Amino acid sequence: MPRPLGDLEDAVMTRVWQWNRPVTVREVLEDLQQQRSIAYTTVMTVMDNLHQKGWVRREVEGRAYRYTAVSTRAAYAAALMNEAWAQSDNPAAALIAFFGMMSHDQREALNDAIRIVQRDNPIATPPEQGAEGTGAQER
């Protein structure tokens, strides 16, 4: 399970995820500078740290690196939720509390996700019994 991203790591990864293409430190820097004052070396260090932690892969292009996300934001969020749930001494109670915090739209999204998972990964169910209720197969 990955550790939660720090604020600056999250700001960098948000751009990498949103742009969904290889990015340079310069591109991320210029976008971040629209919201805050930040140095090139700071962004370079954060991106190197993200590479060391396995969040991004990088390839040399000229004198710079191009960084690409290793996984999606959705996968990151799922891993965080799974880790939080695993920390509970009562997982069922934790889920009930979590579901109780959800908005109507979030519950609808959850229901949609459950339907998709059930459709794609049906749980093995016993064969239906025949009309006589014996469950025996006809020969």
Side-chain angles (χ1 to χ4, degrees), residues 15-44:
R15 282 146 180 87
V16 175
W17 282 319
Q18 285 176 344
W19 296 341
N20 196 28
R21 61 174 174 75
V23 301
T24 64
V25 171
R26 176 74 52 202
E27 291 172 308
V28 174
L29 170 73
E30 290 172 358
D31 199 60
L32 286 171
Q33 284 179 331
Q34 294 177 25
Q35 298 169 336
R36 63 174 92 180
S37 176
I38 190 165
Y40 179 92
T41 54
T42 301
V43 177
M44 183 177 63

Side-chain angles (χ1 to χ4, degrees), residues 5 10-11 34 36 39 44 60 67-69 75 79 81 87 101-102 104-105 109-110 116 118 123:
L5 296 171
D10 186 68
Q34 294 177 25
R36 63 174 92 180
M44 183 177 63
V60 175
Y67 294 85
T68 307
M81 288 187 286
Q87 296 298 317
M101 294 177 202
M102 292 177 148
H104 174 75
D105 289 345
L110 175 64
I116 290 167
Q118 287 175 336
I123 298 172

Side-chain angles (χ1 to χ4, degrees), residues 71-131:
S71 66
T72 64
R73 182 180 273 293
Y76 167 67
L80 290 178
M81 288 187 286
N82 189 53
E83 178 65 18
W85 185 48
Q87 296 298 317
S88 175
D89 59 349
N90 187 340
L95 284 174
I96 291 167
F98 179 63
F99 297 156
M101 294 177 202
M102 292 177 148
S103 70
H104 174 75
D105 289 345
Q106 289 170 323
R107 284 192 300 276
E108 285 298 315
L110 175 64
N111 286 330
D112 291 344
I114 290 170
R115 280 192 290 276
I116 290 167
V117 169
Q118 287 175 336
R119 180 193 69 210
D120 293 347
N121 302 304
I123 298 172
T125 55
E128 296 208 18
Q129 293 184 348

Side-chain angles (χ1 to χ4, degrees), residues 58-66:
R58 66 185 180 194
E59 293 182 19
V60 175
E61 184 176 290
R63 294 180 10 175
Y65 285 113
R66 286 212 172 260

